Amino acid sequence: MYRSEDIPPCGHPRVLVWASGRAEQVWTMSGGDHMARDSMAGQLELGDHICSFVDGVGDVLDVMAQTLAAGLDAGDKVMMFTGSLLPPTAVQTGIDELPIVTSAARRSGQVEVLSAREAYLPAGRFEPDRLLETLMGHIDQTIRDGYRGLRLVGDMTWALAEPPGVDQLAGYEAQVNQLYLDGQALGVCLYDRRAFPRELLRQVTCAHPASIAGHVKTGWAPLLRISRTTDPYGLRLIGEADLSNRQAIAATLEAVLDQQPDPAAPILIDVAGLRFADAAATAMLGQLAQRAPNGVHLAGAQPAISTVLDRLGVAQLPKMRLVHATGGTGTASTEMAA
């Protein structure tokens, strides 16, 4: 089981900062409008898990609006968990009146608005394992219903009341990454940076592969994307692995080891798309190689990554093998690197 205390403390989050937009500008757009694709939510992909810092209710509405527009544009199901200042009934009424929400979407339940407090605290306390099981059920049902995937956006202000179990929040945010590894869902967690303690914000930031605060430019992508591969089994890392997402990396490495279908085979970690990895992230790959029954094959390491592997001695570990990446980012062979 992944435990947040197993990982060294994170530093300050690496985020992009921009001036906040207005929800009305997004909520009044017509379906398929280019703004849906150019927004932060429009540039997310199934599999992403983002920590979005907001400044009050206006920003919360903005991100929810972006997620709604992008989800409908992509044909995904959208599920929104709203806080006490945004009652689900009021939000649902507003959504139903939007031109981007078709009558078919209303009838099919493509958009759901739920109380965040009821979703996260069904028994009056925060129980991460129970919540993970519930979210997995939502994802499975979404796929059975024929949608491409599920877009989740949650207003986390319920945690400010410090309900029982809230001390597990950062650990939960790290664990929930495993639900997104197969590319059937994405999650956007909304934290009001004016209301939450700085230390808690630092902890939850490290539990997400990427964080953001504000608008993004066209072409923006999350700092790190993590996905599961099946043939061969393992993980694909694209972007940058550093102090700001360390607990997210640790939790996904733990999950890929725990869920390995064939312990007799090595775990493949495809790093062809990894531009940067700090010493701690590289060391975690070495730890995975030592713990995996048949080691790790590390595919497509770029020169900068290879240098860190060599200097830390990770490349020389008996159960670590460097292999070539072929056919572009994310496709690895099992040929030994020279």
Side-chain angles (χ1 to χ4, degrees), residues 58-59 74 82 100 120 135-136 143 152 177 202 212 220 261-262 266 275 328:
D59 281 1
T82 67
I100 60 173
Y120 290 96
L135 292 177
M136 191 68 253
I143 301 304
L152 296 161
N177 284 292
R202 184 183 63 79
I212 189 168
W220 171 85
D262 180 10
R275 301 184 301 272

Side-chain angles (χ1 to χ4, degrees), residues 117 120-131 158-169 172:
R117 186 170 184 83
Y120 290 96
L121 308 170
R125 62 178 293 112
F126 183 55
E127 301 178 37
D129 290 342
R130 180 175 179 177
L131 180 56
W158 59 267
L160 291 171
E162 299 185 352
V166 74
D167 57 308
Q168 302 177 73
L169 180 58
Y172 156 79

Side-chain angles (χ1 to χ4, degrees), residues 98-124:
L98 296 175
I100 60 173
V101 182
T102 64
S103 57
R106 296 188 190 97
R107 291 194 303 269
S108 66
Q110 186 175 0
V111 181
E112 288 190 42
V113 183
L114 304 171
S115 164
R117 186 170 184 83
E118 293 178 5
Y120 290 96
L121 308 170

Side-chain angles (χ1 to χ4, degrees), residues 41 89 124 147 157 173 177 204 219 269-270 279 300 305 316 319 337:
T89 53
Y147 294 105
T157 54
E173 289 283 25
N177 284 292
V204 297
I269 305 297
D270 186 341
I305 308 294
Q316 290 76 41
K319 295 171 69 177

Side-chain angles (χ1 to χ4, degrees), residues 21-302:
R22 297 304 304 161
E24 294 84 355
Q25 296 174 339
V26 182
W27 284 47
T28 57
M29 74 178 77
S30 60
D33 191 284
H34 68 89
M35 288 179 65
R37 294 183 292 273
D38 290 344
S39 68
M40 177 273 289
Q43 296 180 68
L44 295 181
E45 298 176 358
L46 294 176
D48 288 334
H49 181 211
I50 303 296
C51 184
S52 179
F53 296 112
V54 295
D55 295 321
V57 173
D59 281 1
V60 171
L61 282 172
D62 194 356
V63 177
M64 286 187 172
Q66 292 178 20
T67 304
L68 172 64
L72 293 176
D73 189 48
D76 297 333
K77 182 169 182 175
V78 180
M79 187 172 287
M80 296 182 284
F81 302 100
T82 67
S84 58
L85 298 180
L86 295 170
T89 53
V91 175
Q92 186 67 63
T93 298
I95 287 174
D96 289 342
E97 296 175 354
L98 296 175
I100 60 173
V101 182
T102 64
S103 57
R106 296 188 190 97
R107 291 194 303 269
S108 66
Q110 186 175 0
V111 181
E112 288 190 42
V113 183
L114 304 171
S115 164
R117 186 170 184 83
E118 293 178 5
Y120 290 96
L121 308 170
R125 62 178 293 112
F126 183 55
E127 301 178 37
D129 290 342
R130 180 175 179 177
L131 180 56
L132 288 170
E133 185 176 349
T134 298
L135 292 177
M136 191 68 253
H138 287 314
I139 296 172
D140 290 343
Q141 187 61 53
T142 294
I143 301 304
R144 287 196 295 269
D145 289 343
Y147 294 105
R148 189 180 70 113
L150 175 64
R151 296 184 180 229
L152 296 161
V153 55
D155 180 356
M156 307 301 289
T157 54
W158 59 267
L160 291 171
E162 299 185 352
V166 74
D167 57 308
Q168 302 177 73
L169 180 58
Y172 156 79
E173 289 283 25
Q175 284 184 282
V176 79
N177 284 292
Q178 63 185 286
L179 299 189
Y180 303 116
L181 291 178
D182 296 314
Q184 296 180 330
L186 66 81
V188 181
C189 304
L190 308 179
Y191 285 89
D192 191 329
R193 57 185 170 181
R194 301 182 305 181
F196 279 93
R198 182 180 297 272
E199 176 60 20
L200 180 58
L201 291 178
R202 184 183 63 79
Q203 292 174 11
V204 297
T205 296
C206 297
H208 292 76
S211 301
I212 189 168
H215 287 294
V216 298
K217 297 180 180 179
T218 301
W220 171 85
L223 183 65
L224 180 65
R225 283 185 159 130
I226 310 174
S227 59
R228 194 194 319 267
T229 61
T230 55
D231 187 20
Y233 175 82
L235 287 179
R236 179 177 298 124
L237 306 178
I238 298 176
E240 301 181 22
D242 63 13
L243 199 62
S244 70
N245 47 32
R246 182 164 301 164
Q247 292 189 20
I249 299 167
T252 51
L253 292 178
E254 187 74 24
V256 80
L257 177 61
D258 289 345
Q259 299 166 15
Q260 185 179 15
D262 180 10
I267 295 174
L268 180 87
I269 305 297
D270 186 341
V271 295
L274 194 64
R275 301 184 301 272
F276 173 81
D278 66 8
T282 306
M284 285 192 285
L285 295 176
Q287 292 166 7
L288 176 66
Q290 292 176 310
R291 295 177 60 202
N294 205 27
V296 164
H297 284 183
L298 198 66
Q302 297 187 25

